[in-house]
Amino acid sequence: MAGPGAMEEIRCISPVDGSLYAARPVEPIEHVRARLGPAREAQARWAARPLAERIALVREGVARLVAMNDAIVPELAWQMGRPVRYGGEMGGGRERTAYMAEIAAASLAPTMIEDSDRFRRYLAREPLGLVYVVAPWNYPFLTAINTIVPALIAGNAVVLKHASQTPLAGERLAEAFANLPEGLFSNLFIGHAASSELLRERAFDFVNFTGSVRGGQEIERAAAGTFVGIGLELGGKDPGYVCADADLGAAVETLMDGAIYNSGQCCCGIERIYVHASLFEDFVERAAALVSAHRLGNPLDAATTLGPMASLRFADAVRGQIAEALAAGARAHVDAGLFPADTGETAYLAPQILTRVDHSMRLMMEESFGPVVGIMAVEDDAQAIALMNDCRYGLTASIWTRDTDRAAAIGRRIETGTVFMNRCDYLDPALCWTGCKETGRGTSLSTLGYLSLTRPKSFHLRRL
């Protein structure tokens, strides 16, 4: 605990070795308030610039970020544990930026209702003003870009508060967008209490938060009565369903990647799998062999395929779920002895596959956000749909079949934001990224993403 007069800090404890990797002083709230006035002035000037100019400058900023990737990749390993062999997040960042730039003119253009000798009537889109982005640590660049890029292109200013586990990501984004007019993009180091106070003061015009359900509830409570728009992407427990006609090899390989990649710390990672009984034994056997071949270790080692979880606390939470399931009769299919880096006392956690699981277990009902997946056999589509819907979250669902019409029919009955067929753990920028139930509300990317970052203004112009 800091002593009297000590400056409060945002501290990143590295999961690699438990050391203090980065610390940044917390900015006093009065300093933040003083920065928001110039930000609003910069936003008004920015919104008045031609769309083509805004797009060009935003794309230049993303290109500047991409150019930093060689330095960013090891920084991510130190901050949140992702192995350097995977090379960062810039491919997805470029793809999403390019698509949102491509559709901007059409998405933001006025909708003309009438343009006659008597009237000009149309619907226009106006930027909201100051967009507050509260970004998570698991994909610290991609998740931020999802809102930052379209918000800026649409004519807004952006204020970023990054997760304390990845403070350098916020600094890198600020460095990249330093090509923008002064004050238009701000990176803050503030605590939860100051953030909530700013929300209560209506300091921002829109808030996008990606994180836990509890964090989303805190955002909603702080903004209650301000009428500020809120976008929330919260928890997930995304299911996969392997139908009897599935390509088994492709299903095993893709679903296990969706469950284990990034140590299972993916917003739309696969956390539970339902397999038709005719394929169940073969699926589990192949999946166990694939997962057992991973190498758990220091993420700075190019041979490592599985790094530590972002913190010891997260790893211990998953260990608790696994232990409870095993005590209740679950069966483990991966020999933890193959992963000596997991001593049970660090953020390094051996991956695991469990069968003989059911929905009475936390492992199958509560978010794990770690390298573990439970697998159950099902008899038909109806049983699989019922189990997939038996969850308080709804972000994505992955269906494995050779029949597109069947996948669409099943998808219509699943309570989720995105339905995948024969793939998972992917974000298509042309489609709306959204969720239902306790996964949250709001939209990002696609044309609908622009609608959430602008407001409608109606023009009814009568000619005399």
Side-chain angles (χ1 to χ4, degrees), residues 39-374:
R40 289 195 176 277
E41 295 172 4
Q43 184 273 323
R45 294 190 294 270
W46 175 251
R49 297 180 71 158
L51 175 61
E53 291 184 13
R54 299 201 302 263
I55 290 173
L57 284 167
V58 171
R59 296 193 73 164
E60 178 187 321
V62 173
R64 287 159 57 95
L65 181 68
V66 171
M68 303 174 194
N69 195 54
D70 286 349
I72 286 174
V73 167
E75 288 175 356
L76 285 176
W78 279 106
Q79 289 175 97
M80 49 75 64
R82 186 183 305 133
V84 296
R85 69 181 288 134
Y86 298 120
E89 304 169 19
M90 298 308 158
R94 285 194 301 265
E95 178 189 21
R96 298 174 194 185
T97 299
Y99 184 80
M100 296 307 289
E102 177 186 330
I103 68 168
S107 300
L108 298 170
T111 301
M112 187 63 66
I113 307 300
E114 179 183 359
D115 192 7
S116 68
D117 58 352
R118 296 188 59 208
F119 294 100
R120 179 181 296 170
R121 297 181 296 136
Y122 60 96
L123 297 168
R125 304 300 306 183
E126 295 282 321
L128 296 174
L130 260 60
V131 172
Y132 185 40
V133 179
V134 185
W137 51 263
N138 64 319
Y139 282 91
F141 293 99
L142 282 178
T143 51
I145 281 174
N146 289 349
T147 302
I148 290 171
V149 164
L152 289 170
I153 288 176
N156 299 287
V158 170
V159 179
L160 172 67
K161 176 188 179 297
H162 224 298
S164 58
Q165 192 66 41
T166 46
L168 274 61
E171 290 182 335
R172 287 292 186 183
L173 284 160
E175 182 182 353
F177 288 114
N179 68 312
L180 300 178
E182 185 175 357
L184 193 68
F185 185 97
S186 303
N187 176 52
L188 304 181
F189 289 111
I190 59 173
H192 296 311
S195 181
S196 294
E197 187 169 344
L198 291 168
L199 291 176
R200 286 191 290 271
E201 295 172 0
R202 206 186 192 284
F204 310 107
D205 302 299
F206 184 80
V207 182
N208 183 270
F209 172 80
T210 304
S212 68
V213 171
R214 190 177 79 172
Q217 291 168 337
E218 291 174 357
I219 293 283
E220 282 201 325
R221 279 194 290 267
T226 66
F227 308 119
V228 169
I230 298 175
L232 303 172
E233 187 202 319
L234 310 176
K237 193 73 181 174
D238 291 7
Y241 170 38
V242 182
C243 302
D245 68 336
D247 181 322
L248 187 61
V252 169
E253 182 177 355
T254 307
L255 288 172
M256 287 305 101
D257 182 66
I260 304 301
Y261 182 77
N262 205 37
S263 296
Q265 299 167 132
C266 300
C267 298
C268 56
I270 295 295
E271 297 213 355
R272 52 199 174 106
I273 301 174
Y274 307 100
V275 182
H276 190 271
S278 63
L279 301 178
F280 181 75
E281 296 296 338
D282 199 2
F283 183 96
V284 172
E285 182 180 351
R286 294 191 192 194
L290 197 63
V291 171
S292 297
H294 273 284
R295 177 169 175 176
L296 175 67
N298 189 317
L300 297 160
D301 183 344
T304 294
T305 63
L306 194 65
M309 294 189 65
S311 79
L312 173 60
R313 176 169 61 90
F314 300 151
D316 282 346
V318 179
R319 288 185 178 108
Q321 286 190 358
I322 294 172
E324 286 181 15
L326 292 173
R331 177 187 173 192
H333 289 264
V334 177
D335 179 5
L338 297 172
F339 303 91
D342 181 357
T343 65
E345 299 176 349
T346 70
Y348 292 88
L349 177 64
Q352 190 54 266
I353 293 171
L354 297 178
T355 60
R356 298 178 188 166
V357 292
D358 59 49
H359 281 210
S360 70
M361 300 174 181
R362 286 198 305 138
L363 181 91
M364 295 299 288
M365 298 298 289
E366 297 184 11
E367 188 171 37
S368 300
F369 220 59
V372 60
V373 64

Side-chain angles (χ1 to χ4, degrees), residues 434-449:
T434 188
C436 61
K437 299 193 279 192
E438 289 191 28
T439 288
R441 60 188 174 94
T443 60
S444 63
L445 299 176
S446 79
T447 295
L448 298 182

Side-chain angles (χ1 to χ4, degrees), residues 25-40:
V26 171
E27 188 171 0
I29 193 169
E30 58 270 20
H31 291 185
V32 176
R33 292 191 185 105
R35 293 169 63 183
L36 297 183
R40 289 195 176 277

